[in-house]
Every structure is written in C-alpha cells, then in structure tokens.
Amino acid sequence: MTLIHLHNTKTRTKEPFKPIDPQNVRMYVCGPTVYDRAHLGNARPVLVFDVLFRLLRHVYGDGAVTYIRNFTDVDDKINAKAAQTGRTIRDICDETIDWYHADMDSLGAMRPSQEPRATEWIGAMKDMIAGLIETGNAYAAEGHVLFAVESYQNYGKLSGRSIDDMIAGARVEVAPYKRNPMDFVLWKPSDADTPGWDSPWGYGRPGWHIECSAMAYELLGDSFDIHGGGNDLQFPHHENEIAQSKCAHPHGEFAKYWIHNEMLQVEGKKMSKSLGNFFTVRDLLDQGVPGEVIRFVMLGTHYSKPMDWTDKKRAEAEATLRKWRALLADVAPTGVDQGLLDTLADDLNTAGALTKLHAMAREISANPQKDCFYEKGVMLASAQFLGFLSDEMGAWAEMPDVDLSVLAQKLAELRETAMQTKDFSGVDTLKSALIGAGIEVRMSKTGVDLEPGPNFDPAKLEALS
C-alpha cells in the first residue's frame, strides 16, 4: 500500500498519515461564501484537496473516503448584495452555487461527497451554542452569544500565537459587551430586514466560525482525519473552530491533521482589484484559457508555496498538454505509475508528479521506433489520475483539419525550389505564417520539422490548409 505523508500544521512536522478508521477516512475543507464568482485564488484549495481526495480514494478505496466542503450561505456580504440588487438571498446563493459548480467542474475537480449549506444546519449550531453556554465556555450578552477564549487554554496553539500577543496586535474596536477583546461571536441579532432564526438568545443568526464546527460534528463526528483550507483561514477561523469544537466535545480530537495551502499571486504580485490583476475563474475561461490548463499551472507549484500565475506558465502548460494529448492519442489507460504515486504521497507533491509525467513523455518521444504502447498507457493513466487528458477536458485541444506533416512537406518543397531560383519569398512567407501561428520551425539538411510552441494557435493554421 502507498504510504501517505502530510505536513500537519498542528504539529509543524511531516507525519505518516494514519487514519482513525481506514474504512472511513474523513476530510473537511472550508468552502466558499456564495455571493459572487470564485476568483482564481479560490480555485487553489479546490484543486489541492481534489488531488488529496483522489489519492485517498486510490489508497483506501472509493467508498472509504468522505469529503465534506461547505457553502456559507448566511453572511453579511450576501445580505448586502440582496439589499443592493433587490433579489432574494436564496436566489443569489442558488445562482452563485451553480456558478461555482460550473467553474470548478471546468477545472476537472471532483465534487465532494457532500456539500452542506450552512442554513440547513442552524439547529445543530444552536444546539452547540447552548452546550457551550452550559459548560461556561460561552456567554450571552445584549442579544449576542460569545465564546470565552480564556476558557480554552490551548487557544492560539494552531497558529502559534498567545492570547496576550493577539490582544496586543488587535486593531479593531472592542464591543462593550465582550468580556475579553478576543472573544468571538457565536450568535448575533438580526433586524427585520436581515435573515434570522428564533433562538433562546433572541431572533438572530450564527457567527461564521460556528458553522463549520457544527457541520463537521454532524457529518463526520467529534474526531475525524483531515481539516483543510487556505492558510488565511488558519487564524482566526480554524483557531476558533478548534476552541469551540474541543470545548463542545472534550472527548473528541476534532481534526487529527490540518493541511493549509499558500496563497496565489499574479505575475509576482498579490492579486487585487487596485492593481488591476484581479480576475475570476470565469474570466479566464471566457478569455479562452482551458480549465485543464488552469489546473496544470496550479498543480505545478507545491501547495505549501505561493503559486504565481503568469501568462508564460499558461502558454507552456497549453503547449505541454497539446503535446501529451497528441503523444497518447492512440492508447487506453492502464495502471498509474507507482513512482508518480509515491511522489504524490510525499506531502502531496503535485509539482514532482508533473515532473514524472514530463520524464515519461520524453522517454516515449525519444524512442519512436519502439513499441511504447504499455508505457503510453501508464502515462495516460497517471495523467488522468491527476485530472488531465480525460476526454471530457479535451475539446479545447482538438486540432483543426490541418496536417503539420503536409505543411512541413510544402515548406521543404518551396525551399528546394528556392535553392534553384534564388527566390526565397515563398519560403519566407510560409515560414512567417507558421511562426505567427506559434509553430517552431526547424529547417536542416535532413528536412523540415514543425513543432507547436508555447503560443500555438491552431486556428491560424486553417488559412494555410
């Protein structure tokens, strides 16, 4: 069996993954707040944990892994959008969830086992809040319920912060009803124009942090294997989840392993609207960037490092995937390469796994006379295991009805004629057109070789046919 190792944020070490129950491997990942399109950074945890989901299913069995990713559909940003547009909150959330599914599907991400909506679990949240009040870990004040941070002695352990440091670093105005500046909201009041539910503490709605704790407990139990998300959630969201969950269910472990992915940059800079480099997944798809290409670029960087989206990487990924699809067009998948699995199992090393695929492609291409049918099948199975080269993802890569070998022969004949007439205008015209279409033109004494380059645009070849 492939042995998985993961870097556990909780222990700050890379550890062998030993599930609580190998027949029931459980993972929870924080999902989106559904008020607008998912930006490119939102796609990174989706793809990181999609690969981990695939790996866990491969090792323990498809039916032995449960992956939960929630939708936050009660939030002040959603309320503000409803007030601004005059639309209902339900309508906005339903539309946004449909967008999210369509965009993430286009990246080849598998749907999680379950995708609970926060509003479906309000009762469970109220039950957990009531229990925390009863044990003295939370208190009601002025229509709010707050978690008493000082009641949990390990608060700050996940992120490596002390309560004193967090208080000293706080720059927010402290509400007068808080006993401690770090106490956080479990329940807050709602007015007549804001979504709310009846509760022992008045008409209101849950705070953000209690959502994931309640849903994780109801769907995965008081102890489960993996909790994941972006490292921007490590504090305060995940820290607060641990505190309230451990106090609500002191005999449980909550999450055994914590996995956090780093953030995304664009051309070396933080993505932001003020810099003009902010875009959504849908923006890229509408610009003609294939979802498979976005996935390739994303997985080319280890999840623990900042991922820099660049146009150069996009072009290289597109060229690579075209080559691989052409190379493996005549085979069926066989078995996933064990070396690739071992690489991936070493703390989800997707960049190393892609390097393995590059090596396979070079080996196959270097032996054109050898029957590489089996090797091609292994490469295809390995690529598809990572979410690439499936038929569903490949429509973008379909070549126009232009044969590069025919164009290469045509250029060779023009050159042969030009050698006699000394008129190379025809050669230069065709060569320029090929280069303009992103074709690398190599001319030697032995002939002409045409190779799609990083900026290959097959549509520009149609006029040459």
Side-chain angles (χ1 to χ4, degrees):
M1 175 183 283
T2 301
L3 180 60
I4 300 172
H5 287 77
L6 297 171
H7 186 274
N8 189 351
T9 306
K10 184 166 68 173
T11 62
R12 291 167 177 76
T13 60
K14 186 163 66 174
E15 305 174 4
F17 176 67
K18 298 178 180 179
I20 298 168
D21 178 1
Q23 303 302 314
N24 184 22
V25 182
R26 288 157 288 168
M27 177 169 69
Y28 188 99
V29 175
C30 292
T33 300
V34 285
Y35 68 96
D36 207 346
R37 288 278 189 185
H39 61 69
L40 189 60
N42 297 143
R44 193 173 195 200
V46 172
L47 295 179
V48 167
F49 292 101
D50 174 65
V51 175
L52 181 53
F53 185 35
R54 290 167 183 260
L55 180 62
L56 291 170
R57 283 161 56 96
H58 181 86
V59 173
Y60 295 99
D62 293 354
V65 183
T66 300
Y67 171 20
I68 307 295
R69 186 180 65 215
N70 71 294
F71 286 119
T72 294
D73 60 345
V74 52
D75 183 85
D76 289 344
K77 291 179 180 177
I78 303 173
N79 300 339
K81 186 167 185 178
Q84 180 184 6
T85 62
R87 299 172 61 194
T88 67
I89 287 173
R90 183 75 187 192
D91 183 41
I92 291 170
C93 292
D94 286 350
E95 178 184 61
T96 306
I97 288 173
D98 287 344
W99 286 346
Y100 187 83
H101 278 148
D103 292 347
M104 298 308 124
D105 288 352
S106 73
L107 305 184
M110 297 173 62
R111 298 277 181 97
S113 309
Q114 296 183 59
E115 295 178 288
R117 294 169 68 137
T119 52
E120 297 169 348
W121 297 92
I122 300 296
M125 297 175 206
K126 290 193 289 185
D127 288 345
M128 182 174 280
I129 292 170
L132 289 168
I133 292 175
E134 185 176 345
T135 57
N137 298 108
Y139 58 93
E142 298 184 24
H144 295 75
V145 179
L146 298 109
F147 183 86
V149 166
E150 289 182 338
S151 72
Y152 181 62
Q153 63 180 3
N154 288 324
Y155 190 79
K157 189 174 181 180
L158 179 72
S159 56
R161 309 176 187 211
S162 70
I163 293 179
D164 290 342
D165 288 341
M166 287 184 277
I167 292 175
R171 297 183 180 180
V172 295
E173 183 178 351
V174 179
Y177 48 78
K178 285 189 175 185
R179 297 176 183 172
N180 182 307
M182 295 306 300
D183 292 351
F184 57 88
V185 173
L186 302 176
W187 190 263
K188 54 188 174 182
S190 295
D191 58 30
D193 297 324
T194 308
W197 292 261
D198 291 327
S199 81
W201 321 289
Y203 183 73
R205 60 198 190 277
W208 174 36
H209 310 298
I210 196 68
E211 295 177 14
C212 291
S213 284
M215 289 186 284
Y217 172 71
E218 293 294 330
L219 296 170
L220 300 177
D222 60 15
S223 299
F224 57 94
D225 297 296
I226 298 170
H227 196 314
N231 69 354
D232 58 325
L233 299 180
Q234 187 179 143
F235 180 85
H237 184 52
H238 289 165
E239 201 74 74
N240 292 351
E241 277 190 69
I242 292 173
Q244 62 202 10
S245 295
K246 291 284 287 182
C247 289
H249 308 287
H251 299 295
E253 189 174 3
F254 194 46
K256 185 176 180 182
Y257 300 87
W258 286 84
I259 314 297
H260 292 95
N261 64 272
E262 256 287 359
M263 297 294 98
L264 174 135
Q265 300 173 337
V266 176
E267 301 290 350
K269 298 180 180 178
K270 181 180 179 181
M271 187 170 70
S272 70
K273 292 181 179 178
S274 62
L275 293 176
N277 65 352
F278 180 94
F279 45 86
T280 67
V281 173
R282 179 52 49 182
D283 288 337
L284 284 181
L285 295 171
D286 288 346
Q287 292 166 17
V289 181
E292 187 176 30
V293 170
I294 297 172
R295 183 183 184 93
F296 193 99
V297 174
M298 287 275 193
L299 298 185
T301 301
H302 192 270
Y303 77 86
S304 65
K305 298 178 181 178
M307 206 295 295
D308 190 18
W309 174 273
T310 68
D311 191 60
K312 179 182 178 182
K313 288 182 181 178
R314 188 274 314 158
E316 291 173 347
E318 186 169 327
T320 295
L321 287 167
R322 286 190 187 280
K323 291 177 183 178
W324 288 359
R325 284 187 171 275
L327 183 66
L328 306 177
D330 58 343
V331 298
T334 52
V336 180
D337 178 70
Q338 187 59 48
L340 182 140
L341 283 173
D342 291 341
T343 298
L344 197 61
D346 183 11
D347 197 23
L348 214 59
N349 187 359
T350 55
L354 288 178
T355 299
K356 290 282 186 182
L357 288 177
H358 280 292
M360 292 182 206
R362 285 195 299 270
E363 180 69 20
I364 293 169
S365 299
N367 294 279
Q369 307 304 320
K370 179 184 175 183
D371 181 6
C372 292
F373 189 83
Y374 175 77
E375 289 86 349
K376 287 182 177 181
V378 171
M379 181 182 172
L380 181 58
S382 302
Q384 291 182 345
F385 176 73
L386 286 172
F388 303 111
L389 307 189
S390 66
D391 293 340
E392 296 81 8
M393 295 282 283
W396 69 272
E398 293 179 1
M399 296 286 289
D401 190 18
V402 178
D403 190 337
L404 290 183
S405 64
V406 171
L407 290 172
Q409 180 63 29
K410 182 177 180 180
L411 184 58
E413 292 172 355
L414 285 173
R415 185 180 66 166
E416 186 175 343
T417 300
M419 294 293 289
Q420 299 172 5
T421 64
K422 306 303 181 183
D423 179 6
F424 286 87
S425 58
V427 174
D428 293 339
T429 298
L430 180 55
K431 183 178 178 181
S432 296
L434 290 168
I435 293 173
I439 297 292
E440 296 177 5
V441 180
R442 303 187 185 95
M443 304 175 69
S444 66
K445 293 180 180 180
T446 58
V448 174
D449 182 33
L450 303 182
E451 183 76 19
N455 297 307
F456 177 48
D457 183 355
K460 293 181 179 180
L461 293 179
E462 294 178 357
L464 302 179
S465 59

